[in-house]
Amino acid sequence: MSTQTSTIIASRGSVRATFIAAFLSVTLAQTAYAVPGALNGAFAAEFHATGAGLTWITAIFEIGIVAFELTFGLLGDKFGRKKLMIAGSLMVVLGAALSALATDIAFMIFAQAVIGIGAGLLFPIGLAMVSALTPDRAKRSRVIATWAGFLSLGAVISPVMAGVTAQFFTIPGAEPGAPNEFSGWRVSYWIIAAVAVVLVAVSATTRDSSAPAGRRLDLPGQITFALGLIAVLYATVTAVDHGFGYWQVIAAYIIGVVLLVAFVIIELRSPSPLLHLELFRNRTYSTAAIVAVTGMFAFLAICFATSISMGALAQEPVWVIGVLFVVIQGPAFVLSPIVGRLIHSVAPRWLLTSGFALMAISGFWLSSYTIGVPARFGGTPWTDFLLPLLLLGVGFALTIGSITAVAINTVPEHQIGMASATTSLMRDLGFTLGPVVGSAIAFGVGASAFALPIVSVLQGTGIPPEAVEGLSHVPPLAWLSGWEGVVGQFAGEMSAAGAPAEAVEGAVASITAAQGDIMGLAGSSLGGGFSVVYIVAAFAAVGSAVLTLFLPSTKREQVIAE
């Protein structure tokens, strides 16, 4: 074994394999994370998902990263990064296989939780392994820039892979409207599983490293933070379908707040805290941390709104959603080397201000579109989304690397490491809040807009008043993604109540005759909700741009980026 400062580097193992594993792991993790963005429409149709169900698919993955990323990094430092790289790869194999085999929305959510934990292991561990092998700061900056490029590559690969597999591997049902014999999107997850198996083999030959000196596991902090975060997110997602007055929502918020307050108290008293709260005494760093949350919230809220409104509502094919997400994610990959050089030559705060301004323009622009309705019925064509989404992608490319650079410029030299890790956590928290808060806004606004008109439509069908009362409480997305289930349940309840078969058949025929009106109303109502999400995200981006103007304009010669 050899040591270099506080880092212990094994004498065995291939350096080349270590770099291959690090770059492959971040590409794999980001691909797995971004795939659902292109598939939400397919998930809604196949699993008859509710708004909360679709939100959980994205949010549960991110929870595995946000809630545990600091602890995963510590475990790698303490016990060896190679072990965690292999463990993370195996978790991705398992999670991807489960995703490919998922038969309902609950199964899919569980599978995403598994794959999210695996990705949460891979993201910090791969970067730590290659950083340990490049002690020279200039070389390390280039290695980190390359790592970030492979991360962006994963974001580009995922929508292309989702679109191609859904387009060419799907075997449709025997009759129009029948379930698919095989859904091609499942092939995407089998590809992810296969690549993860390759990563396991490569990781076994890597050169291990660790940095155990002074590292202690903050178990009370980890437990309270993870459970508190999960409780708050559970409350917000559950409110999507049941409203904020639902008792489980209120109880979960109370539990979450209590746990997060306990987390802060624990961290202030802990000799080895999970999160170094003293950083937030620095007003400038606090501003940068807030921007990391609000800015990334704006980005992912727009991404999520686009995915649902174009996929589940406008019913565009998966390949179209794939093209839109390539436009969003492509600039980060293409512009990564340029942005890396600009961070060294231009004050990073100006990159942030410009990037968030572009995101705001994108959000306001998209909010002016007619969304939630297929283009053939008057909705905005998908091609009109290309330019505003390109602005969003360029804005993201300018901000994602600059946030860390700005944050570390605001703290003393000895706090750079913890500032970088904490900023990463805040950024990922913003990513998590984007779909969760965006979903709560969109489906809440959509349900309110749907409530009164659907009663009028149902009354016009001539079905009994009690049936109108019951069906009026069905969420709009349920009509869109599970029409047969809603109507079938209605017919079953009428039969169980003793209604004659002729009456049941007549009521079903009346509702079916109004299907176009109901579906159109549901789509336009939810489309209005997602328009509000675009506006909220745009204002969050405006606020982020304004806040960055108060950050210092100085820059360090050596920037430790993520």
Side-chain angles (χ1 to χ4, degrees):
M1 304 290 287
S2 63
T3 63
Q4 182 181 304
T5 63
S6 61
T7 300
I8 302 172
I9 303 175
S11 57
R12 296 180 179 180
S14 168
V15 173
R16 176 177 294 182
T18 305
F19 278 87
I20 292 173
F23 297 149
L24 180 60
S25 66
V26 70
T27 304
L28 176 67
Q30 185 63 24
T31 300
Y33 171 61
V35 160
L39 295 175
N40 276 316
F43 294 155
E46 182 149 345
F47 299 138
H48 306 302
T50 64
L54 291 178
T55 306
W56 269 125
I57 289 176
T58 300
I60 200 72
F61 190 110
E62 192 67 53
I63 287 174
I65 299 172
V66 177
F68 303 108
E69 65 179 318
L70 294 179
T71 294
F72 287 157
L74 183 148
L75 292 175
D77 289 347
K78 194 169 181 64
F79 300 110
R81 293 153 184 160
K82 180 176 178 177
K83 299 183 186 69
L84 267 71
M85 174 72 80
I86 294 173
S89 304
L90 290 172
M91 290 291 287
V92 172
V93 172
L94 177 61
L98 291 173
S99 298
L101 297 171
T103 54
D104 56 40
I105 195 68
F107 195 154
M108 192 66 185
I109 291 170
F110 173 74
Q112 289 298 294
V114 175
I115 200 171
I117 292 173
L121 281 163
L122 295 181
F123 276 125
I125 295 302
L127 181 57
M129 291 178 76
V130 293
S131 296
L133 296 177
T134 51
D136 180 76
R137 280 190 169 188
K139 291 182 179 178
R140 184 184 298 170
S141 294
R142 289 194 292 271
V143 166
I144 292 173
T146 303
W147 180 89
F150 276 95
L151 184 148
S152 300
L153 177 62
V156 173
I157 288 173
S158 58
V160 174
M161 182 174 68
V164 169
T165 55
Q167 183 73 17
F168 293 103
F169 291 93
T170 295
I171 302 175
E175 299 177 0
N180 292 330
E181 295 289 336
F182 178 78
S183 296
W185 61 262
R186 297 177 186 276
V187 176
S188 294
Y189 283 103
W190 286 122
I191 293 172
I192 290 171
V195 174
V197 170
V198 173
L199 181 58
V200 172
V202 175
S203 300
T205 66
T206 57
R207 182 165 295 188
D208 200 4
S209 61
S210 62
R215 303 290 276 159
R216 296 179 182 177
L217 180 62
D218 179 16
L219 195 57
Q222 175 62 86
I223 292 173
T224 51
F225 177 68
L227 293 181
L229 178 64
I230 291 170
V232 170
L233 293 179
Y234 170 81
T236 307
V237 175
T238 302
V240 170
D241 286 343
H242 298 282
F244 287 95
Y246 186 48
W247 72 268
Q248 288 187 15
V249 172
I250 296 172
Y253 272 130
I254 293 173
I255 293 171
V257 169
V258 170
L259 287 169
L260 291 176
V261 170
F263 166 73
V264 171
I265 295 172
I266 290 169
E267 296 305 281
L268 290 173
R269 298 178 178 180
S270 174
S272 300
L274 178 71
L275 186 65
H276 295 269
L277 296 177
E278 68 268 18
L279 285 171
F280 295 95
R281 296 172 183 167
N282 179 330
R283 183 178 300 176
T284 308
Y285 176 81
S286 295
T287 301
I290 291 171
V291 166
V293 176
T294 57
M296 294 306 100
F297 159 80
F299 172 73
L300 215 65
I302 293 176
C303 290
F304 184 76
T306 301
S307 173
I308 301 295
S309 61
M310 295 302 291
L313 305 185
Q315 300 172 7
E316 294 289 355
V318 174
W319 71 265
V320 168
I321 312 303
V323 170
L324 295 179
F325 272 80
V326 168
V327 171
I328 294 172
Q329 300 288 358
F333 176 66
V334 174
L335 299 177
S336 177
I338 298 174
V339 174
R341 288 193 293 270
L342 287 175
I343 289 175
H344 289 274
S345 59
V346 178
R349 76 166 185 176
W350 295 116
L351 298 179
L352 284 176
T353 302
S354 302
F356 290 134
L358 290 176
M359 288 186 191
I361 293 171
S362 173
F364 286 126
W365 191 345
L366 291 168
S367 72
S368 68
Y369 287 169
T370 301
I371 59 176
V373 180
R376 63 184 182 277
F377 296 132
T380 301
W382 71 268
T383 50
D384 288 2
F385 282 71
L386 294 175
L387 188 52
L389 291 181
L390 179 62
L391 294 182
L392 177 70
V394 174
F396 179 68
L398 293 175
T399 56
I400 187 63
S402 305
I403 287 177
T404 301
V406 168
I408 67 175
N409 281 343
T410 67
V411 300
E413 197 76 24
H414 69 278
Q415 290 185 323
I416 286 179
M418 69 177 73
S420 177
T422 304
T423 304
S424 176
L425 175 65
M426 303 303 289
R427 182 192 64 211
D428 290 337
L429 179 60
F431 284 146
T432 304
L433 293 176
V436 172
V437 176
S439 179
I441 293 171
F443 290 107
V445 170
S448 297
F450 186 68
L452 291 179
I454 188 60
V455 172
S456 298
V457 172
L458 291 172
Q459 287 175 340
T461 65
I463 62 176
E466 60 271 18
V468 171
E469 172 66 18
L471 289 173
S472 66
H473 294 293
V474 175
L477 186 61
W479 288 106
L480 291 170
S481 64
W483 174 273
E484 294 82 2
V486 171
V487 175
Q489 182 177 352
F490 162 72
E493 290 175 352
M494 280 193 69
S495 298
E502 295 80 4
V504 174
E505 291 175 1
V508 169
S510 297
I511 294 174
T512 303
Q515 182 174 3
D517 292 337
I518 294 173
M519 299 281 273
L521 177 60
S524 61
S525 297
L526 288 176
F530 281 105
S531 292
V532 174
V533 174
Y534 283 135
I535 294 172
V536 171
F539 275 113
V542 169
S544 301
V546 171
L547 283 174
T548 57
L549 294 175
F550 296 94
L551 295 171
S553 59
T554 57
K555 56 183 182 295
R556 285 200 172 96
E557 292 301 320
Q558 298 293 343
V559 176
I560 301 177
E562 290 180 308

